[in-house]
Amino acid sequence: MDSQAAATPEEIWTQAFLRVQRAIDVPTVWMAMEAARPLALEGNHLIVGMAPSDQYLRVNLQTHEYATAIDDALAAVAGRPLALHVIEGFAIESYHRQQEQEAIAAIEAQAPRSASRPEAQRPEPSAAAPHRPEPAQPAPSYSTTSFQAPRSQVDDSVEVIPSWDRLNERLTTGFKRMPLARYPHGQAAFLLHAVKMISATMDLVMDAPFGQADPIQERNLAKCIERLGVTVSLDPLFISLELIRYRREMGRDIGFIPQS
């Protein structure tokens, strides 16, 4: 770390850029960093903005290899852990509004799960009362349209992240901090957890089964899967297959794939 840590967003970004230039000989990454404007420090994130016309460069700041090098440079310059967060435009107020909307969405997403948990256990039947078998429940209908999973199949252990950008960041930083990330079994464990997180975000932000949802949401989902593929060095097709397998197992929609 630098003996005199940089304090302002501008200082941090300028010095981090010089470090990245020495570490990564990829001109498109340099172009992306030059196009980004540092806006603010928010907790452990440096917020930078990019003009709408420069959004095509954004992937160079978010690919796992380059994002890791940038985050490492930011931490070295700032003297503390720091991660990059990229927004479209240069209004920090838009970022704050997005944060508020995501916080509200996260609360709303957790509310049905909390409500679905029984408040108290069902009382034991009286010894004198004759046993009456429960009526048979109809089998769940699996179709190509969206439906809610049975309550028993909702995975309450999965964090619900209400935006694709935030999910991409969480997956990238989570993989970097995973102690077994260098080993195949560690990468496999991370992949299984990442698939659950992607599925939870799909349920929250996609208004129809994938394959039928808004094209923008379809592209966001595809980009998330592709970025995860780069992170774990796996073909996005296989990640998509694991995602479909998990959603089918949980009773969630799986688009146009026939269900037996």
Side-chain angles (χ1 to χ4, degrees):
M1 295 185 182
D2 294 345
S3 57
Q4 184 64 38
T8 68
E10 293 78 9
E11 292 174 345
I12 293 172
W13 190 238
T14 299
Q15 294 182 31
F17 174 68
L18 297 176
R19 285 176 172 266
V20 172
Q21 270 192 316
R22 293 194 295 268
I24 298 179
D25 187 17
V26 181
T28 53
V29 176
W30 307 345
M31 290 173 59
M33 293 189 70
E34 289 176 325
R37 182 190 305 172
L39 301 176
L41 288 169
E42 298 278 347
N44 289 330
H45 286 87
L46 173 67
I47 314 301
V48 302
M50 298 186 74
S53 59
D54 292 327
Q55 289 299 305
Y56 71 97
L57 292 169
R58 184 170 179 166
V59 66
N60 294 287
L61 304 179
Q62 296 178 323
T63 301
H64 175 67
E65 178 184 357
Y66 306 147
T68 299
I70 293 171
D71 289 351
D72 290 345
L74 292 174
V77 169
R80 62 185 178 89
L82 204 59
L84 182 66
H85 182 88
V86 185
I87 66 173
E88 182 174 344
F90 305 106
I92 193 63
E93 293 79 10
S94 299
Y95 169 75
H96 292 153
R97 285 195 296 270
Q98 179 186 355
Q99 293 289 94
E100 293 173 358
Q101 292 169 359
E102 291 178 2
I104 293 172
I107 294 173
E108 292 176 347
Q110 295 296 338
R113 297 185 175 197
S114 299
S116 68
R117 297 189 182 98
E119 295 298 327
Q121 293 184 346
R122 185 178 297 178
E124 293 293 331
S126 170
H131 174 69
R132 295 182 179 180
E134 294 288 339
Q137 297 296 324
S141 174
Y142 296 94
S143 68
T144 59
T145 57
S146 179
F147 61 90
Q148 293 297 316
R151 290 178 178 177
S152 61
Q153 292 180 313
V154 174
D155 192 341
D156 292 332
S157 67
V158 179
E159 179 183 8
V160 180
I161 300 179
S163 83
W164 292 110
D165 283 345
R166 182 60 58 82
L167 175 61
N168 289 333
E169 286 185 3
R170 185 65 57 85
L171 293 177
T172 298
T173 56
F175 185 77
K176 288 192 299 183
R177 295 170 181 172
M178 186 174 181
L180 298 178
R182 71 175 71 180
Y183 301 114
H185 58 284
Q187 294 175 15
F190 176 81
L191 173 62
L192 293 177
H193 183 68
V195 161
K196 294 180 182 181
M197 295 178 69
I198 293 173
S199 180
T201 297
M202 287 173 61
D203 289 336
L204 183 63
V205 305
M206 298 183 78
D207 57 1
F210 63 103
Q212 305 173 35
D214 182 278
I216 294 177
Q217 295 296 340
E218 295 285 357
R219 287 196 295 272
N220 287 335
L221 171 60
K223 289 178 181 178
C224 181
I225 293 173
E226 289 168 356
R227 181 171 175 181
L228 178 60
V230 173
T231 299
V232 298
S233 301
L234 192 63
D235 191 317
L237 172 62
F238 292 100
I239 297 177
S240 299
L241 289 172
E242 180 60 30
L243 176 62
I244 289 174
R245 184 206 63 76
Y246 170 75
R247 290 182 65 80
R248 187 171 189 171
E249 180 181 281
M250 297 298 292
R252 314 305 289 176
D253 76 78
I254 55 173
F256 292 107
I257 307 300
Q259 303 189 46
S260 56

